[in-house]
Amino acid sequence: MDPESPERPDRVAQIQQEWRRERPELDASPMSVIGRIHRLGAHLTEEILTVYRRHGLGEGEFDVLAALRRAGAPFERAPGELADHTMVTTGAMSKRIDRLEERGLVSRRVSAVDGRARVVALTEAGREVIDRAVTEHLANERRLLDVLSPEDIAALEDVLARWSRAVENG
């Protein structure tokens, strides 16, 4: 049977039907969007983490290396700036940096711009790891989106961007 067939409801539609039967006074319609995004998010996260693991990285480590790589040469940022770019506390960032430094993927050093400041820099080994990982990561994301048409992707991107701005701006 075609998975997009209207005769075959997905798990969220089944859950909604059950709630309508058991609690008809409740509006289960938000599950149409929120439930599907939640379930899809969990699936996508696992697909993405699988790629990171192949490169010996966790999600947080990937984020740090990617933020450093996106900084451009000399591939360094202040620890607080890294925390802002990855939306974690400075304490959590310090732990991530420690783990990456132990593996030789980043180093802490004095800033070339301000001799009083310390920065975290991507090592050559770190650059090689993140370049391989991000190449596979983006190919994986493309594979995950390939089930949608270009028009669906564009529409979804627009809706999600507007919704994200609304949520993030309170």
Side-chain angles (χ1 to χ4, degrees), residues 21 30 36 39 55 60 66 72 78 84 93 102 104 115 134 146 162 164:
R21 182 190 67 231
R36 287 185 176 98
R39 292 174 65 86
H55 296 276
D84 289 344
M93 179 54 60
E102 286 171 13
V134 78
D146 277 347
R162 284 187 284 119
S164 183

Side-chain angles (χ1 to χ4, degrees), residues 23-166:
R23 297 285 311 271
E25 77 280 9
L26 295 178
D27 176 15
S29 65
M31 287 181 182
S32 294
V33 173
I34 304 295
R36 287 185 176 98
I37 287 175
H38 181 75
R39 292 174 65 86
L40 185 58
H43 175 77
L44 294 175
T45 296
E46 190 51 42
E47 292 283 332
I48 289 167
L49 291 177
T50 298
V51 169
Y52 297 167
R53 287 184 202 116
R54 278 199 289 270
H55 296 276
L57 301 171
E59 189 171 22
E61 294 162 329
F62 178 92
D63 287 347
V64 171
L65 295 177
L68 290 169
R69 183 64 173 94
R70 290 190 317 267
F75 309 111
E76 63 184 30
R77 293 186 191 265
E81 188 181 1
L82 279 173
D84 289 344
H85 278 268
T86 58
M87 298 182 292
V88 298
T89 65
T90 53
M93 179 54 60
S94 184
K95 289 178 185 175
R96 288 178 181 178
I97 293 167
D98 288 346
R99 286 192 306 266
L100 290 166
E101 190 173 35
E102 286 171 13
R103 294 179 53 202
L105 301 178
V106 302
S107 64
R108 288 180 170 102
R109 63 183 183 211
V110 175
S111 169
V113 177
D114 178 357
R116 298 167 296 166
R118 304 271 298 161
V119 294
V120 177
L122 199 56
T123 64
E124 186 58 37
R127 184 173 171 186
E128 290 172 7
V129 167
I130 193 58
D131 281 352
R132 283 191 309 270
V134 78
T135 298
E136 185 178 348
H137 169 69
L138 291 173
N140 187 45
E141 286 189 339
R142 168 56 48 214
R143 176 187 65 81
L144 292 166
L145 285 175
D146 277 347
V147 299
L148 301 174
S149 71
E151 297 79 18
D152 284 346
I153 292 169
L156 188 57
E157 181 180 2
D158 179 59
V159 168
L160 291 174
R162 284 187 284 119
W163 190 12
S164 183
R165 282 191 301 271

